[in-house]
Amino acid sequence: MSCHKSYITTPIYYVNDVPHIGHAYTTIIADTLARYARLINQDTFFLTGTDEHGQKIEEASRKRGKPTQEYADEISAKFRNLWDQFDISYDRFIRTTDSDHIKGVQKAFTVMYQNGDIYKDKYRGHYCISCETFFPETQLVGGEFCPDCGKPTSIVEEESYFFRLSKYQDRLLKWYRDNPNSILPKSKRNEIIRFVEGGLNDLSITRTSFDWGIKLPKEFNEPKHVIYVWLDALMNYITALGYGTDEANMDFWPARVHLIGKDILRFHAIYWPAFLMSLELPLPKHIGAHGWWTRNGEKMSKSKGNVVNPKEVADAYGLENFRYFMLREVPFGGDGDFSQRALIDRINSDLGNDLGNLLNRLIGMSGKYFNGLVESNLIDKFYQKELDEVNSSISKLEPMIFELQLHKYLEELWRPLTIANRAIDRYQPWSMIKEGKRDEVMALNGLIATILAKVSLMLHAVMPKTTKIIANALGFEINPKTFQTIIREDGKLAPFRTQRREPLFPRIEKELLEEKKPEIEEREVKEESNNITPISIDKFFETSLKIGTVVDAKEIKKSKKLLLLQVDIGEDRPRQIVAGIKEWYSVEDILNRQVCVVSNLKPAKLMGFKSEGMLLGAKDSSGFSLITVEKPKANGTPIR
Ligand code: ME8
């Protein structure tokens, strides 16, 4: 291998949400790469962690009524615990609230400033809190909504320090062009090139509108400014190695691969290399952007109650089966759909039939014919062709893993299993044994054992424990040494004896998890976040809202709550609306008031009266208030 150090990272996850299948996916890919790198004896450092600063986190903690640090501690621990339960082999779990990270970011800020890349100016622009990003007006949807997440942006004007991103446009383009594998998959690289060719604006890298962030270094004497959360967050990749503090681990830099989801590619493929250029540090070897997971074809969201909880899935189906499924199911970069059916099919077919069953067949045949003994010394004499085919498949694998072609890797890795299963069907050891061809049968068992050994070594990074069980059944241990001898040097397995054992992948007949309806807790979250669940602008305008004037009002005698109103919304006759406002508004209060009317609701009957619309209002613990207009408006004026 040309590269002896492997530094592998995941994004650091925001602590405004608990971990879900998407986070698990990124982390599992990264864990697989790190385990593979260690198995081939590379000096490996695997980093994950949490991203804890910024307005979004400050708001999330306020919503839950907790001090921000306490809230961040709590959610960060949820990520860390899950990764521990998932046996994620990280070398460091960084938190952006760690003191060495904070020092490192301040140091980077100073160096970039000294290198002439930071200046102070005024900023006015549309800011999306959810994405923690400014967008130019031309990119907004409907003049207001964020082009990435669809949520409303707000106008922010503040004094800000800027990073000279524009200065790096040409160097970035040169880097993408000179390094075809810098951004994977390659289609994503082309997207980035087109974007950068379109021109880069300088980047606002400090904020004064809130407090929850890293302060500028003292020398700047700017107590109001905190460092932009993306500058803070991206720096984690070097501060984790000690940049700006104890630099002992900096020799792991540059990263071999930054694994991320496609949602955050621009930050990683444009800002990050530009920051590194400014810091005069080498650039990462690969930035790998994977696709999006949906559930049964739908986007996952808390409000839909369809978020896949990775812990539940792993508990029900087995952690390693889940790992295999995720990596095998989708081509890297493509979107993937989680369904229990697809997972069950992978377990029963790939793992059960192809892999588990092969081990069982070996145990069965060796037990029956040779009292459990398996020897590999005669393989070349009878099955050289099969062995060559197997070795040719295995030799194709390694480049695939570091180009992140994990689904192809696993597909190719299954070819040796097919070769083994086919050889049994073709040579029919049960007939050979009757013909007295004991050597041939022993050699065939040796071939199967060798294939299983090679496959378990190459599958180890994906399914660490399962493959150790297989190796144990074949009388060897998985470690860098056996990897070297059995994979690289095509060494033979020492003779061993098989024993009967429980099947590794018991067949699963039906779905093990109930498809959940949103539960109370999820419903609460839904209510809380209703105003921030993104919908398209078109969807919003499906509701026809109009200004109207209450031209007549009566009490409905038998009802404590309802008033019967006639509301003029500019049509040829007023609409009759039954409104549940009697507790807060009398007939006199409401008469001649201008109100906001939902005018395209299906008519309903309440206490025997037809109602042809609804008034907008807001209710909290102090009571109910109608929404009215600040200045009089003509009846029928649409509300937008
Ligand atoms: O973006 N499918 O953090 P984040 C696949 N803090 N992957 C998904 C996913 C889905 N449905 N949802 C999330 C941030 N992910 C920043 C990163 S890095 C310097 C700062 C994964 O908590 C995917 O890897 O929003 C995505 O990039 C990441 O979670 C975003 O996590």
Side-chain angles (χ1 to χ4, degrees):
M1 285 305 306
S2 54
C3 175
H4 298 293
K5 293 224 179 254
S6 269
Y7 179 34
I8 291 155
T9 68
T10 73
I12 43 173
Y13 302 110
Y14 281 130
V15 291
N16 67 335
D17 196 2
V18 292
H20 61 67
I21 184 180
H23 305 122
Y25 180 56
T26 321
T27 309
I28 286 169
I29 299 176
D31 184 63
T32 299
L33 298 187
R35 285 176 184 274
Y36 189 86
R38 291 189 197 104
L39 191 58
I40 60 174
N41 233 350
Q42 294 188 348
D43 204 3
T44 304
F45 196 99
F46 170 21
L47 175 71
T48 189
T50 44
D51 188 355
E52 305 183 11
H53 289 131
Q55 200 168 355
K56 179 154 68 170
I57 308 302
E58 197 180 70
E59 284 192 358
S61 68
R62 199 179 313 129
K63 262 192 185 166
R64 282 156 181 91
K66 290 212 168 125
T68 313
Q69 184 66 58
E70 187 184 319
Y71 170 73
D73 290 347
E74 206 175 279
I75 309 272
S76 177
K78 288 198 172 154
F79 275 96
R80 193 175 181 143
N81 289 342
L82 181 68
W83 303 152
D84 289 344
Q85 287 163 348
F86 273 20
D87 259 331
I88 298 300
S89 62
Y90 60 81
D91 293 290
R92 176 165 178 188
F93 184 97
I94 194 172
R95 302 182 54 185
T96 53
T97 49
D98 287 343
S99 64
D100 65 335
H101 171 75
I102 293 172
K103 282 192 200 117
V105 171
Q106 290 172 329
K107 161 86 186 223
F109 193 94
T110 307
V111 173
M112 287 155 83
Y113 184 82
Q114 285 164 351
N115 287 345
D117 284 336
I118 292 181
Y119 61 93
K120 194 170 172 184
D121 205 344
K122 269 236 159 75
Y123 195 91
R124 187 183 142 82
H126 299 265
Y127 194 67
C128 173
I129 296 176
S130 183
C131 299
E132 301 276 19
T133 312
F134 276 106
F135 290 99
E137 191 138 4
T138 49
Q139 279 183 25
L140 298 181
V141 178
E144 184 187 352
F145 297 93
C146 171
D148 279 357
C149 74
K151 292 177 193 169
T153 56
S154 44
I155 292 190
V156 172
E157 184 175 54
E158 49 188 10
E159 208 177 45
S160 173
Y161 283 83
F162 284 79
F163 172 71
R164 289 188 203 282
L165 186 61
S166 55
K167 169 176 149 185
Y168 289 98
Q169 178 168 351
D170 293 341
R171 280 178 64 187
L172 284 168
L173 285 170
K174 182 168 176 352
W175 179 58
Y176 309 135
R177 292 194 177 119
D178 291 352
N179 297 278
N181 287 330
S182 50
I183 297 165
L184 297 169
K186 287 183 186 156
S187 55
K188 293 277 179 218
R189 170 173 152 265
N190 299 336
E191 260 174 44
I192 292 290
I193 292 179
R194 276 195 301 276
F195 186 87
V196 174
E197 280 172 344
L200 294 175
N201 295 326
D202 287 353
L203 182 68
S204 160
I205 51 164
T206 64
R207 299 280 181 273
T208 53
S209 52
F210 64 93
D211 212 33
W212 182 245
I214 299 181
K215 300 264 184 261
L216 300 205
K218 280 208 185 66
E219 314 80 86
F220 285 80
N221 197 17
E222 290 277 22
K224 276 206 269 163
H225 287 252
V226 295
I227 292 175
Y228 173 44
V229 63
W230 269 102
L231 175 68
D232 167 351
L234 287 162
M235 290 296 165
N236 95 90
Y237 299 130
I238 51 174
T239 61
L241 300 177
Y243 178 84
T245 51
D246 169 6
E247 305 217 338
N249 276 330
M250 274 304 280
D251 56 353
F252 277 102
W253 190 257
R256 176 147 200 182
V257 53
H258 291 309
L259 268 165
I260 55 168
K262 63 182 181 181
D263 54 323
I264 53 175
L265 180 60
R266 278 188 199 165
F267 300 98
H268 283 80
I270 302 172
Y271 299 176
W272 180 227
F275 294 159
L276 288 166
M277 287 172 187
S278 175
L279 294 172
E280 297 167 324
L281 286 171
L283 306 192
K285 295 266 177 287
H286 306 293
I287 297 165
H290 64 67
W292 218 237
W293 279 93
T294 52
R295 178 166 206 182
N296 299 327
E298 282 192 57
K299 196 176 160 151
M300 281 183 283
S301 77
K302 277 194 220 159
S303 52
K304 281 191 203 139
N306 66 347
V307 177
V308 180
N309 177 340
K311 177 78 171 58
E312 262 177 32
V313 178
D315 286 348
Y317 290 97
L319 171 62
E320 301 201 348
N321 298 344
F322 178 48
R323 283 171 69 107
Y324 172 80
F325 165 76
M326 285 208 283
L327 302 186
R328 176 66 185 84
E329 191 68 8
V330 255
F332 186 84
D335 292 340
D337 190 49
F338 178 83
S339 80
Q340 295 191 65
R341 207 54 257 172
L343 171 57
I344 293 171
D345 287 349
R346 287 279 172 210
I347 296 174
N348 287 345
S349 149
D350 300 11
L351 296 174
N353 289 350
D354 300 342
L355 175 60
N357 207 24
L358 184 63
L359 180 62
N360 280 348
R361 291 175 104 176
L362 175 68
I363 294 171
M365 290 190 297
S366 58
K368 197 158 165 196
Y369 309 137
F370 304 104
N371 204 14
L373 184 69
V374 180
E375 284 178 342
S376 298
N377 52 349
L378 291 173
I379 303 173
D380 335 7
K381 190 165 162 202
F382 298 104
Y383 304 106
Q384 191 57 46
K385 196 171 125 284
E386 281 81 2
L387 200 57
D388 288 345
E389 273 182 68
V390 167
N391 288 340
S392 128
S393 261
I394 300 277
S395 68
K396 290 184 198 151
L397 293 172
E398 192 156 300
M400 292 181 189
I401 206 162
F402 286 112
E403 284 184 17
L404 308 176
Q405 296 289 333
L406 285 152
H407 76 291
K408 270 203 192 145
Y409 177 96
L410 290 169
E411 194 180 338
E412 188 67 39
L413 181 55
W414 250 242
R415 280 171 48 81
L417 296 176
T418 310
I419 293 169
N421 280 309
R422 242 189 2 224
I424 302 176
D425 298 342
R426 177 159 164 216
Y427 296 111
Q428 306 198 335
W430 49 92
S431 313
M432 292 203 290
I433 213 84
K434 279 190 205 140
E435 293 158 19
K437 298 179 175 163
R438 291 184 64 82
D439 280 359
E440 277 95 325
V441 177
M442 180 59 97
L444 183 63
N445 285 351
L447 174 74
I448 296 165
T450 304
I451 290 175
L452 281 167
K454 287 182 193 249
V455 168
S456 54
L457 281 159
M458 297 309 283
L459 186 61
H460 178 66
V462 180
M463 305 184 78
K465 290 203 170 119
T466 312
T467 49
K468 283 200 165 166
I469 298 173
I470 298 175
N472 185 270
L474 304 176
F476 79 104
E477 259 178 41
I478 294 183
N479 56 40
K481 207 164 148 244
T482 51
F483 190 94
Q484 179 66 25
T485 51
I486 297 174
I487 298 290
R488 301 256 196 259
E489 291 158 14
D490 197 17
K492 292 213 158 66
L493 278 179
F496 65 94
R497 273 185 201 277
T498 56
Q499 279 176 357
R500 295 231 151 259
R501 43 161 306 116
E502 294 293 307
L504 278 175
F505 309 101
R507 212 181 154 71
I508 299 172
E509 295 301 340
K510 60 177 195 329
E511 287 153 3
L512 300 175
L513 291 173
E514 254 179 65
E515 289 290 329
K516 277 196 301 192
K517 304 238 166 10
E519 281 164 7
I520 307 233
E521 198 186 296
E522 277 159 348
R523 265 193 237 124
E524 275 167 9
V525 177
K526 178 178 174 183
E527 268 162 29
E528 195 180 282
S529 62
N530 248 349
N531 55 345
I532 56 165
T533 304
I535 57 168
S536 69
I537 188 93
D538 296 342
K539 179 137 190 161
F540 174 74
F541 283 124
E542 282 172 16
T543 314
S544 164
L545 296 172
K546 288 187 175 164
I547 300 296
T549 301
V550 180
V551 292
D552 188 38
K554 284 195 187 78
E555 291 196 359
I556 296 179
K557 286 274 155 4
K558 272 181 255 158
S559 168
K560 280 196 203 128
K561 293 192 173 155
L562 301 177
L563 290 182
L564 183 65
L565 311 176
Q566 303 298 325
V567 185
D568 180 354
I569 58 165
E571 295 171 342
D572 44 8
R573 63 168 184 83
R575 292 271 186 112
Q576 173 162 297
I577 295 178
V578 181
I581 58 173
K582 197 168 159 184
E583 285 173 69
W584 302 284
Y585 289 85
S586 68
V587 165
E588 296 76 58
D589 290 338
I590 189 88
L591 204 59
N592 298 323
R593 291 283 286 273
Q594 283 215 298
V595 288
C596 302
V597 180
V598 183
S599 70
N600 60 341
L601 277 185
K602 279 194 191 135
K605 255 202 174 159
L606 292 162
M607 303 281 287
F609 294 94
K610 189 171 178 194
S611 183
E612 305 165 312
M614 188 170 85
L615 306 189
L616 295 188
K619 193 171 130 195
D620 66 8
S621 54
S622 69
F624 176 85
S625 162
L626 280 169
I627 311 283
T628 60
V629 283
E630 203 194 11
K631 296 180 194 141
K633 284 282 153 259
N635 292 332
T637 306
I639 302 173
R640 348 214 90 213

